[in-house]
């Protein structure tokens, strides 16, 4: 199946992950994972959008030549269009990725001294390219690191700064008596906003919702939140519109027990009890290994009993040590907990 590089920034969760999600909620029950969650009807999964190219495939000379020609003419926007409209499998080729990095870096440099619309458009094109490079299954760890760092630098202007473009954020002037929680469920949701209130607070540098002031203008992201777990890198990344915002080191299941696929957040529990082999182990019990937060997953039978949670064993982070769940440091999972909501897409890949 063919897809474009721009898939990582397609509107909505379905575009970013190739998944049509159906929201389900449930209560914890006994199960096989580290924590148990009641099953529900699985969301339909769409097959992976691109297959690995043949091992003997040569780089696509037409794309490389076209991009080289456009870069020589200093037509950065044209080079970005060619790259973003190309087949997703082509980005797995090192020659194409090298041109994508060169184009994105040049776009950022060209926009560095300006805040006008052309400069913003250049930053947005660069963000799309870095997001595609970060999400590319063929990218090396070094390339993923480079794309992540470039993306986070761009987000300082495009999301976290006062100059954030209207295409990415909604601006809301706080009225007396308003709360972000009510706004997220009401007014903002009606305007198409899906990010949780906790992430809005993070974007605006507000550590405590009680410090919200009347007359304060909030930047409210318009793009969806997603989560990407890469088992081989022991990494969990939070994506905004497909572009990486933050990442955390995690532990995964021993003996390849963490399932791969696209799931969704089913439920979120503070100070969770642990349901294991028919036994309830309450929060605070020394035998309860779940830590301070539980984020349960659903979407297929493989997700039954699987979740993202804290741990009482910090030494296990960065290792294949769990019974299938994704473990995080408690401080990290507490931050993630506030950024997510039921229905958020979670992709787990090798």
């Amino acid at each position: 199946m063919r897809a474009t590089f721009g898939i990582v920034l397609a509107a909505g969760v379905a575009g970013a992950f190739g998944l049509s999600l159906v929201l389900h909620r449930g209560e914890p029950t006994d199960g096989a994972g580290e924590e148990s969650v009641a099953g529900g009807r699985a969301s339909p999964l769409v097959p992976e959008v691109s297959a690995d190219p043949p091992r003997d495939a040569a780089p696509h000379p037409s794309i490389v030549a076209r991009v080289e020609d456009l870069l020589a003419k200093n037509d950065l926007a044209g080079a970005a269009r060619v790259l973003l409209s190309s087949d997703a499998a082509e980005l797995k080729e090192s020659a194409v990725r090298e041109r994508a990095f060169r184009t994105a870096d040049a776009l950022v440099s060209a926009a560095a001294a300006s805040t006008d619309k052309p400069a913003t458009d250049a930053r947005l094109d660069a963000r799309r390219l870095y997001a595609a490079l970060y999400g590319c299954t063929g990218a090396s760890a070094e390339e993923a690191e480079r794309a992540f760092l470039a993306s986070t630098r761009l987000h300082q202007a495009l999301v976290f700064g006062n100059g954030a473009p209207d295409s990415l954020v909604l601006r809301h002037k706080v009225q007396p008596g308003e709360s972000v929680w009510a706004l997220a469920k009401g007014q903002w949701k009606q305007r198409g906003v899906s990010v949780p209130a906790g992430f809005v607070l993070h974007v605006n540098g507000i550590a405590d919702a009680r410090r919200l002031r009347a007359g304060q203008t909030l930047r409210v992201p318009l793009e969806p939140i997603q989560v990407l777990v890469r088992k081989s890198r022991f990494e969990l990344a939070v994506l905004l519109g497909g572009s990486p915002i933050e990442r955390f080191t995690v532990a995964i299941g021993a003996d390849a027990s963490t399932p791969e696929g696209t799931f969704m957040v089913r439920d979120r529990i503070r100070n969770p009890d642990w349901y294991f082999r028919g036994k309830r182990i309450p929060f605070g019990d020394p035998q309860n290994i779940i830590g301070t937060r539980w984020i349960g997953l659903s979407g297929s039978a493989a997700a039954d009993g699987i979740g993202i949670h804290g741990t009482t064993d910090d030494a296990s982070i960065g290792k294949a040590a769990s019974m299938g769940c994704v473990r995080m440091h408690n401080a990290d999972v507490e931050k993630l907990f506030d950024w997510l909501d039921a229905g958020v897409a979670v992709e787990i890949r090798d």
Side-chain angles (χ1 to χ4, degrees):
M1 184 180 297
R2 295 176 68 83
T4 62
F5 291 1
I7 192 170
V8 292
L9 283 176
V13 172
F17 286 91
L19 174 66
S20 175
L21 294 174
V22 181
L23 187 149
H24 302 283
R25 298 186 67 89
E27 298 298 327
T29 65
D30 297 333
E34 295 187 33
E35 172 81 6
S36 301
V37 179
R41 184 175 300 170
S43 301
L45 294 178
V46 175
E48 188 174 345
V49 296
S50 62
D52 290 335
R55 292 185 179 181
D56 58 351
H60 292 259
S62 59
I63 294 175
V64 171
R66 288 168 65 194
V67 172
E68 283 288 354
D69 180 61
L70 291 165
L71 290 176
K73 296 175 180 177
N74 202 32
D75 184 358
L76 302 179
R81 282 194 299 272
V82 169
L83 289 162
L84 290 168
S85 63
S86 300
D87 188 277
E90 294 165 350
L91 191 59
K92 295 182 179 180
E93 298 171 5
S94 60
V96 179
R97 292 198 304 277
E98 192 274 333
R99 270 68 177 186
F101 271 117
R102 280 174 51 194
T103 301
D105 292 347
L107 284 164
V108 172
S109 295
S114 180
T115 58
D116 58 12
K117 187 179 184 304
T120 297
D121 290 342
R123 292 188 183 97
L124 290 171
D125 279 344
R127 180 179 183 249
R128 294 184 185 98
L129 287 169
Y130 289 134
L133 288 159
Y134 179 78
C136 177
T137 56
S140 66
E142 292 75 16
E143 288 172 326
E145 172 80 2
R146 179 180 173 186
F148 175 83
L149 294 175
S151 294
T152 54
R153 286 193 294 267
L154 277 175
H155 283 141
Q156 295 306 310
L158 292 174
V159 178
F160 292 92
N162 291 329
D166 293 341
S167 60
L168 295 187
V169 302
L170 165 73
R171 285 176 170 78
H172 177 88
K173 188 173 183 180
V174 178
Q175 302 301 311
E178 286 186 331
S179 77
V180 289
W181 316 107
L183 288 165
K185 294 179 180 178
Q187 184 181 145
W188 294 346
K189 185 176 181 180
Q190 293 170 7
R191 298 184 65 176
V193 174
S194 65
V195 295
F199 189 74
V200 175
L201 293 173
H202 170 67
V203 166
N204 290 275
I206 302 173
D208 188 339
R210 293 172 295 183
R211 296 182 180 178
L212 199 65
R213 307 185 311 273
Q216 183 176 7
T217 299
L218 300 177
R219 296 179 304 280
V220 184
L222 293 169
E223 299 172 307
I225 286 281
Q226 301 105 23
V227 173
L228 173 61
V229 177
R230 280 181 159 143
K231 298 194 298 181
S232 60
R233 298 178 187 171
F234 299 100
E235 180 179 287
L236 181 152
V238 178
L239 313 179
L240 180 65
S243 184
I245 285 278
E246 183 62 276
R247 61 184 174 176
F248 305 96
T249 303
V250 300
I252 61 168
D255 301 319
S257 55
T258 299
E260 297 178 17
T262 304
F263 312 102
M264 66 180 179
V265 173
R266 182 187 179 96
D267 53 14
R268 299 155 60 252
I269 304 172
R270 295 175 183 269
N271 302 334
D273 295 338
W274 182 27
Y275 293 81
F276 181 62
R277 294 179 179 173
K279 181 181 178 181
R280 172 182 170 272
I281 305 174
F283 177 77
D285 188 303
Q287 296 183 44
N288 185 330
I289 64 172
I290 300 299
T292 60
R293 297 291 188 272
W294 165 262
I295 302 168
L297 303 181
S298 66
S300 77
D304 287 346
I306 297 297
I308 303 167
H309 63 80
T311 184
T312 56
D313 182 12
D314 280 333
S316 68
I317 301 301
K319 302 175 182 177
S322 79
M323 287 176 276
C325 290
V326 177
R327 292 184 187 176
M328 303 178 68
H329 292 296
N330 285 326
D332 291 345
V333 78
E334 288 169 14
K335 180 186 292 187
L336 181 69
F337 185 93
D338 290 338
W339 292 0
L340 305 184
D341 232 334
V344 168
V346 177
E347 181 185 353
I348 302 177
R349 66 170 73 154
D350 184 50

